[in-house]
Every structure is written in structure tokens, then in C-alpha cells.
Amino acid sequence: MSALLDRHGPVVLPALLLCDFGHLAREVERLEKAGAAALHLDVMDGRFVPQLTYGQVVVEAVRRAARVPIEVHLMVEEPERMLAEYVALGADVISVHIEALADPREALGTIAGLGARAHLALSPDTPLEMVEPWLGLCDGVLVMSVEPGFGGQRFNPVALDKLARLAELRAERGGTFRLAVDGGISNDTIGPAAAAGAELIVAGSAVVRSDDYARAIAELEAIARRAA
Ligand code: DX5
Ligand code: ZN
């Protein structure tokens, strides 16, 4: 299933955070019909970030409704405690924040051992040096272009330098990790993000706050492909 994420060229992963949770299965279906390559689920615990969103129950409901891969973005303290549960529920990708990990080697190894893809996420204020030692152990790096915690924020260009540097490091080291970006993606910011190297591009409000999901995704992906 994760092979959808290996599609050549940049792809948009809609984030459900701002969708209509009163009609969750319908939203999943609309996003899939609109061409979503995968779905991005923001799990927040009210501690690592101020907001509390949802957890395993909702991820399970999305998994039942969805046919495309699911990325679970854990914005929680002690994510190690729940890796096995989310993989068992059917998460294809687990993104864990470097700031929250006591032992990145162990956490990444656990996710991989369970058969999911392990992505390392880093917040805008977190220097790239924090993730550098672990690049050989992860399947992707999720560069945050907003402070984690809320949808609909403005894109922080600090992410562009990080993406470009990661692309350089990957080329130098012959790495295989994917480059992902999350936060503030719009028709104006997706071009620069793709040009800097982003391949898996999370878009929340740009998709689910539009009237026509298919058009929103198609426009974003077209701009990204031209810029990449
Ligand atoms: C922010 C979340 C994002 C958010 C993106 O903490 O990680 O995934 O849903 O939403 P937009 O695209 O509106 O910034
Ligand atoms: Zn996210």
C-alpha cells in the first residue's frame, strides 16, 4: 500500500485536521476520490502541543474507511508508548518528533521492526543537526513549516533551507529517506517547498477548506511538479 507514496514527483497528502469530523467517512471518501495519494492524521495530546485532537479510535475509523496509505503524525509526549498500537491499527507511516524522543535509534527501529515506515519530524526551531545522526535509520524526514499544534498557520520559510540541506545530505550520503513538509502549504508556498526538495507535501486547510477537493489537490500537485 505504501507504494503509492513512492510515486515519482511530489504528491499531496491531505491533513484531516480541519475536515468535517461529523462526517468522517464521507470526508475520507471525498479526499480519496479527489486523488489523495495518502492521508495525514494529526494526533495531538494537549501536552507536547497545546491542542488535543484524537487518537487510536479515530485513526482506526479512518483506516476502516480509507484505501490509501495513512500517515500518523504523533505530536505527543513519550510517543514510544503508542507506536505498536498505531502500527497495529494500520498506520503505514509513523512520524515521530525528534524533540519528544528519548532514544531515536530505538524508536525508529521499533517502527521499522513493526513493518511501518518511520519518519522523523522536526519543528521550525529545531536545528537540522538534531536529526542528522539518524538519517540512515529513517524512511523520511518531516520538516515542519509551522509550529506544530494547529492548522491554518502561515508557512515559515525556515523549512526551505532545511529541505535543501537534507536533499544535499541525501545525495552526498546516497541516502534513501523521503523529504516531507507539513504546515502552511498553499498555491503560493508549495512551489518553493517542492523546489527545495519536498516530495511528500502535507496540505490541510488548502484542501479541506476549499469547495472542490479534487481541484485543490490537482492545482497544488501541478504547481509542485512544475517547481520540482
Ligand atoms: C500542524 C499539523 C499539520 C496541519 C496542516 O500541527 O501538523 O498537519 O494539519 O494544516 P495546514 O496545511 O492548514 O497548515
Ligand atoms: Zn501534521
Side-chain angles (χ1 to χ4, degrees):
M1 194 187 261
S2 314
L4 269 175
L5 293 172
D6 296 330
R7 237 160 60 180
H8 188 66
V11 292
V12 166
L13 283 68
L16 272 67
L17 187 59
L18 299 176
C19 81
D20 178 2
F21 275 87
H23 300 95
L24 184 55
R26 193 180 74 188
E27 290 285 66
V28 168
E29 191 186 332
R30 283 181 71 195
L31 289 165
E32 286 191 347
K33 276 203 181 125
L39 300 173
H40 178 94
L41 301 183
D42 290 302
V43 172
M44 307 186 189
D45 66 352
R47 292 173 60 87
F48 181 74
V49 291
Q51 193 179 185
L52 188 150
T53 54
Y54 51 78
Q56 287 145 7
V57 172
V58 168
V59 172
E60 188 178 9
V62 171
R63 178 68 287 166
R64 267 202 306 273
R67 277 176 295 230
V68 295
I70 288 177
E71 174 187 16
V72 172
H73 178 191
L74 291 177
M75 285 161 278
V76 303
E77 289 185 358
E78 299 180 79
E80 298 89 343
R81 291 192 300 118
M82 52 194 82
L83 300 174
E85 277 98 330
Y86 281 108
V87 177
L89 288 176
D92 300 277
V93 180
I94 305 266
S95 294
V96 279
H97 271 266
I98 186 73
E99 305 87 358
L101 292 177
D103 185 343
R105 178 187 303 279
E106 192 182 320
L108 295 169
T110 299
I111 298 169
L114 291 162
R117 296 191 187 199
H119 288 197
L120 260 184
L122 76 165
S123 296
D125 290 342
T126 303
L128 203 54
E129 290 70 40
M130 290 266 296
V131 299
E132 269 194 51
W134 317 111
L135 292 177
L137 299 176
C138 64
D139 301 297
V141 181
L142 181 67
V143 177
M144 293 300 298
S145 36
V146 297
E147 202 51 49
F150 298 96
Q153 303 181 73
R154 186 187 281 271
F155 184 87
N156 182 338
V158 73
L160 299 176
D161 294 336
K162 288 182 182 166
L163 287 164
R165 179 69 190 132
L166 283 165
E168 266 175 26
L169 286 169
R170 183 172 63 182
E172 279 168 28
R173 300 181 184 180
T176 53
F177 56 88
R178 310 298 306 279
L179 299 183
V181 67
D182 182 9
I185 290 295
S186 67
N187 284 358
D188 295 328
T189 57
I190 195 166
E199 299 155 326
L200 307 174
I201 304 181
V202 179
S205 46
V207 176
V208 300
R209 288 272 159 93
S210 79
D211 305 330
D212 184 341
Y213 292 178
R215 198 176 72 196
I217 293 172
E219 275 180 16
L220 287 165
E221 285 186 346
I223 298 169
R225 273 198 300 272
R226 279 199 297 275

